[in-house]
Amino acid sequence: MGSLPHYLSSSSSSSSSDSKIDETTLLDLFKSQQSHLNFFFQNLSLPQTLAFTRTLLSTSGTIFFSGVGKSGFVANKISQTLVSLGIRSAFLSPVDALHGDIGILSPDDVVVLFSKSGNTDELLRLVPCVRAKGAYLISLTSIQGNALAAVCDVNVHLPLERELCPFDLAPVTSTAIQMVFGDTVAIALMEARNLTREEYAANHPAGRIGKSLIFKVKDVMKKQEELPVCREGDLIMDQLVELTSKGCGCLLVIDEEYHLIGTFTDGDLRRTLKASGEGIFKLTVGEMCNRKPRTISPDAMAVDAMKKMEAPPSPVQFLPVIDNQNIVIGIVTLHGLVSAGL
């Protein structure tokens, strides 16, 4: 098994009450793990990996992943990654498979078996059952000359220098390279299938990822009676209720045909009051409004609206939504975007 790393030698095996972990120890651990991962990258067979990836890409059936223990968790995760990319995949429990779940397999399917040692009893018992169903078998293992590699159609060797564990037992490096390998192949499949942002978003409709790729400004904007509108000739003091009651922190200044003239915010109100004093009672909105506000189209992505609000020189809390004729059709607020989960 070899000698233990200096930072995990027997001198560190004192009682937990006396043990200490410092930055140097943690840094040494991370550097060691990095070195073990680099060993994997430097020794991985690209021809094997390419053949494996092409097999998955050309599969007309379902790609099943299986494993036991920690390798099983990785297999399940990789399967879920493929599902999220629109690729038919599922996790096949090696135990449940022998009690009826094997019935889901067909000759068009591929079964990928994750095992560090390649000698996992549950997977070895599964192999003849998978063969009887006609599915294609691939093993992903890290120990050369293992039993699983000998009985599968294809084996991909995942090079493992050693586990980070001081006893070289706990599967903390082997599972890391399994995850890196599986996820990288998944992205290779994603690119080969030319998956679009829209297709990806359609698979994630409820999360922030999906919302940022699906929601447009028109889906989250306020419209019609919710809009805080006024005319440029209206007195500022006559529009205080409109300014404060719509929850937008602003007024959209429009003409008779709803063309946008400018905006007047609660910040503009405070600045005008400070500068004009009692003179504010005679000022119109049009005299003090911003006639070059940031605006956005209803068909723009909602996430782009948020970026536009946060852009320099200074952030804003809202954007008037206008059509190609400069007619106001809505308003999108930062609060509204956040409430929508963006």
Side-chain angles (χ1 to χ4, degrees), residues 55-204:
T55 297
L56 300 191
L57 182 63
S58 62
T59 300
S60 59
T62 301
I63 303 170
F64 288 93
F65 289 85
S66 189
V68 177
K70 309 300 186 295
S71 293
F73 289 120
V74 174
N76 197 0
K77 191 273 176 189
I78 302 304
S79 173
Q80 291 303 310
T81 297
L82 293 186
V83 170
S84 75
L85 300 177
I87 299 172
R88 281 186 297 172
S89 181
F91 175 73
L92 183 65
S93 165
V95 175
D96 293 338
L98 300 180
H99 292 274
D101 286 4
I102 196 78
I104 198 172
L105 294 182
S106 76
D108 294 327
D109 299 332
V110 170
V111 178
V112 180
L113 307 177
F114 275 98
S115 174
K116 171 189 171 181
S117 68
N119 295 312
T120 308
D121 288 340
E122 293 88 343
L123 296 182
L124 289 171
R125 288 197 297 268
L126 179 62
V127 168
C129 304
V130 173
R131 286 210 175 280
K133 300 293 289 186
Y136 194 76
L137 272 164
I138 302 175
S139 59
L140 304 178
T141 61
S142 292
I143 305 299
Q144 296 280 18
N146 62 79
L148 201 57
V151 295
C152 287
D153 296 301
V154 171
N155 177 73
V156 178
H157 178 65
L158 305 183
L160 175 66
E161 184 176 33
R162 60 161 287 142
E163 300 286 3
L164 184 62
C165 165
F167 311 117
D168 195 18
L169 294 174
V172 292
T173 303
S174 56
T175 50
I177 64 176
Q178 287 174 347
M179 189 77 77
V180 168
F181 179 84
D183 279 341
T184 304
V185 168
I187 298 306
L189 295 174
M190 175 184 179
E191 293 184 350
R193 291 163 60 96
N194 296 316
L195 187 74
T196 65
R197 287 169 61 93
E198 292 73 22
E199 289 171 333
Y200 183 78
N203 296 332
H204 301 78

